[in-house]
Amino acid sequence: MVILYITLNTDEEARTISRALLEKRLAVCTNWFSITCAYRWKGEIIEEPETVLIVKTLPERYEAIAEEVRRHISYTNFIAQIDVPKINNAFASWLEEEICTQGENISDK
């Protein structure tokens, strides 16, 4: 299992992308929340609101998820994969049931 940490401009973008990922069975669960982002841009320090979308999925779904994000937004954003070495058995079973294809097994990942 992996977690994808994706930055977006709004909660509505997160909601739309989340639903698309769940409908396409690319993710088992998503969370999103508002944050403040600070960064350097063209010599200035900028602070602005941002939304983080957290996606719980399998490593081999990264490219399909990144493509789905690009379908919904046109700006450059951040998509990071965070490996999760251990998860509880009940969650692993749910993940397997919801997004694994025939013959896949999360314990093989």
Side-chain angles (χ1 to χ4, degrees):
M1 184 189 141
V2 296
I3 290 175
L4 301 186
Y5 183 100
I6 302 169
T7 57
L8 301 165
N9 283 337
T10 67
D11 285 357
E12 190 54 42
E13 287 176 346
R15 178 177 289 106
T16 299
I17 293 168
S18 174
R19 290 196 64 86
L21 297 177
L22 293 168
E23 287 170 0
K24 293 180 177 185
R25 298 175 92 72
L26 293 172
V28 69
C29 180
T30 63
N31 310 100
W32 64 88
F33 52 93
S34 299
I35 61 170
T36 299
C37 178
Y39 57 94
R40 180 176 294 282
W41 182 255
K42 296 183 180 181
E44 294 186 41
I45 295 178
I46 309 293
E47 289 185 21
E48 61 186 12
E50 194 170 62
T51 297
V52 171
L53 174 62
I54 294 176
V55 179
K56 297 165 191 140
T57 190
L58 296 172
E60 56 273 15
R61 302 298 191 267
Y62 178 90
E63 291 303 326
I65 290 170
E67 181 60 33
E68 191 63 32
V69 171
R70 287 189 293 272
R71 281 181 10 86
H72 291 278
I73 61 171
S74 59
Y75 59 89
T76 301
N77 63 313
F78 180 75
I79 305 174
Q81 179 174 305
I82 302 167
D83 293 329
V84 180
K86 292 184 181 184
I87 61 174
N88 59 309
N89 291 337
F91 194 93
S93 294
W94 181 44
L95 178 69
E96 227 174 273
E97 179 182 316
E98 289 298 320
I99 65 174
C100 287
T101 59
Q102 200 87 13
E104 283 184 316
N105 187 318
I106 193 169
S107 60
D108 295 335
K109 309 290 178 226

